[in-house]
């Protein structure tokens, strides 16, 4: 039961939680903020307002919805593949959390692209604006993708070694050990 919990239930509940939180905040934004000038959480620092983003992060690649709708499921499949290729050891918990964050965020934004607007002309709802640094408007899914990616990159430099990830690309741990002994 512990293996089933660890391998399937916890990641699925975590991803569902990320997606639900993301979609709930987008729903509230459309319901209460869309036709307004928004409102400040912290005056002149953090503002909530509605932005229709037809691109990706920071508005890049505007109106390329077909590309996103095709590529996102491929990326999600790769993330799931990597998740299950990692050994279920304590050492890889951080990597798993990163993959869960990336998957949840990707699904959250994919839902928007497919179901908001018309098919292949959808958009993502963004709403969080950090005015003090004039940071591009983003949403909860973007936050999970950014944090997951940043933690993964940092962990690759400071936590994991190159050989820790060799098994993701077909090299077994035994093969790595044989190479180290030669």
């Amino acid at each position: 039961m512990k293996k089933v919990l660890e391998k399937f239930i916890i990641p699925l509940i975590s991803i569902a939680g990320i997606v639900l939180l993301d979609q709930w905040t987008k729903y509230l934004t459309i319901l209460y903020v869309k036709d307004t000038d928004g409102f400040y959480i912290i005056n002149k620092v953090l503002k909530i307002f509605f932005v229709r983003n037809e691109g990706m992060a920071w508005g890049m690649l505007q109106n390329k919805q077909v590309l996103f709708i095709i590529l996102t499921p491929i990326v999600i499949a790769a993330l799931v593949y990597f998740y299950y290729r990692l050994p279920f050891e304590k050492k890889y918990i951080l990597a798993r959390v990163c993959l869960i964050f990336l998957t949840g965020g990707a699904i959250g934004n994919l839902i928007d692209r497919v179901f908001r607007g018309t098919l292949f002309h959808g958009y993502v709802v963004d709403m969080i604006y950090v005015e003090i640094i004039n940071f591009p408007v983003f949403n909860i899914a973007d936050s999970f993708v950014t944090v997951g990616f940043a933690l993964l990159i940092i962990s690759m430099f400071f936590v994991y070694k190159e050989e820790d990830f060799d098994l993701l690309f077909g090299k077994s741990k035994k093969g790595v050990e044989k190479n180290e002994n030669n």
Side-chain angles (χ1 to χ4, degrees):
M1 181 64 180
K2 183 179 177 186
K3 292 263 188 214
V4 171
L5 188 68
E6 189 176 83
K7 286 185 174 186
F8 301 105
I9 297 173
I10 290 174
L12 288 175
I13 289 172
S14 300
I15 290 168
I18 292 168
V19 171
L20 289 172
L21 177 63
D22 174 63
Q23 292 299 307
W24 181 63
T25 57
K26 290 171 178 175
Y27 169 78
L28 292 175
T29 300
I30 290 170
L31 189 64
Y32 296 111
V33 182
K34 183 178 179 182
D35 296 323
T36 71
D37 291 332
F39 62 92
Y40 281 99
I41 302 289
I42 302 171
N43 196 26
K44 303 292 183 192
V45 175
L46 185 63
K47 185 175 184 179
I48 303 296
F49 69 101
F50 174 83
V51 173
R52 179 184 169 126
N53 183 352
E54 295 177 6
M56 59 181 256
W58 304 301
M60 295 185 300
L61 297 174
Q62 288 292 307
N63 300 311
K64 303 288 186 206
Q65 297 307 317
V66 174
L67 177 68
F68 298 129
I69 290 171
I70 292 169
L71 287 181
T72 303
I74 294 168
V75 169
I76 291 168
L79 293 169
V80 170
Y81 172 80
F82 291 148
Y83 184 92
Y84 287 105
R85 288 284 295 174
L86 287 173
F88 283 85
E89 301 169 3
K90 273 187 170 182
K91 178 178 188 174
Y92 295 101
I93 289 175
L94 179 58
R96 286 186 198 294
V97 168
C98 293
L99 294 171
I100 287 169
F101 280 15
L102 290 166
T103 304
I107 291 170
N109 282 337
L110 179 63
I111 289 170
D112 276 22
R113 287 190 176 97
V114 171
F115 295 106
R116 295 195 197 283
T118 60
L119 186 61
F120 303 121
H121 297 330
Y123 62 92
V124 172
V125 174
D126 287 338
M127 79 286 290
I128 303 167
Y129 177 55
V130 183
E131 185 174 319
I132 195 166
I133 59 172
N134 194 25
F135 196 78
V137 182
F138 60 97
N139 59 45
I140 299 297
D142 297 338
S143 299
F144 277 98
V145 168
T146 302
V147 169
F149 188 72
L151 282 174
L152 192 59
I153 295 299
I154 291 167
S155 69
M156 291 173 116
F157 283 108
F158 299 107
V159 178
Y160 301 111
K161 297 177 184 153
E162 186 177 337
E163 56 267 12
D164 289 333
F165 291 104
D166 282 346
L167 58 124
L168 293 178
F169 303 102
K171 295 181 183 177
S172 69
K173 279 192 160 188
K174 290 178 184 176
V176 172
E177 290 168 6
K178 285 179 187 174
N179 288 339
E180 288 173 356
N181 293 333
N182 292 334

